[in-house]
Amino acid sequence: ALQLVESGGGSVQVGGSLRLTCTTSEKTWSGGCIGWFRQASGPEREGIVVHYMSGDIIYVVDSVKGRFTISQDTAKNTVYLHMNDLKSEDSGMYICAAFIPRYCQNGVFRTAREAPVGYYGRGTQVTVSS
């Protein structure tokens, strides 16, 4: 099964930046899509961004538009979440997720509960404080 490993979390002040990394165990995730969910408090995981490995965005939550961007390095099987102008409400466990191709185009990614069956990493903690 596909494995996902996240890194890059940490503690920053409001207005700061972080870059999260997600590395997959497979050489390519061709045609599929990958993204990030955030678990703040409780069991609900909120979708942050989901995209194809080409970089084409499938879903992004309104609260991060203009502040978070994504990039990928297919040679390293790695995707990045660049988080800028961080706010306290951005705090939480950021979990990388991947979905097979047939689930991507019409998938609902607002929450992990609504999302198609996928692969999830263990997460990396982000704490934003004032």
Side-chain angles (χ1 to χ4, degrees):
L2 180 73
Q3 294 183 344
L4 307 167
V5 179
E6 306 93 333
S7 62
S11 296
V12 296
Q13 291 189 325
V14 169
S17 298
L18 283 172
R19 186 187 74 169
L20 305 186
T21 299
C22 173
T23 300
T24 70
S25 59
E26 291 191 2
K27 184 67 174 177
T28 60
W29 192 239
S30 177
C33 53
I34 194 165
W36 297 86
F37 288 75
R38 177 176 64 215
Q39 186 168 358
S41 58
E44 189 78 287
R45 294 178 177 181
E46 176 188 28
I48 301 302
V49 62
V50 177
H51 59 92
Y52 290 106
M53 288 303 290
S54 63
D56 291 338
I57 301 292
I58 298 171
Y59 171 81
V60 58
V61 68
D62 287 345
S63 64
V64 308
K65 288 180 179 178
R67 300 188 298 121
F68 291 12
T69 59
I70 57 95
S71 64
Q72 55 282 327
D73 185 338
T74 54
K76 296 182 179 179
N77 314 323
T78 297
V79 297
Y80 303 97
L81 179 66
H82 304 268
M83 310 165 67
N84 299 308
D85 190 22
L86 282 161
K87 303 177 181 181
S88 57
E89 53 263 40
D90 294 322
S91 296
M93 182 71 74
Y94 282 73
I95 301 161
C96 185
F99 305 92
I100 61 175
R102 64 189 174 101
Y103 289 152
C104 294
Q105 185 172 1
N106 298 313
V108 175
F109 297 105
R110 285 188 299 266
T111 66
R113 178 174 51 84
E114 297 172 283
V117 174
Y119 300 91
Y120 290 83
R122 293 190 173 187
T124 184
Q125 179 69 37
V126 171
T127 303
V128 185
S129 58
S130 56

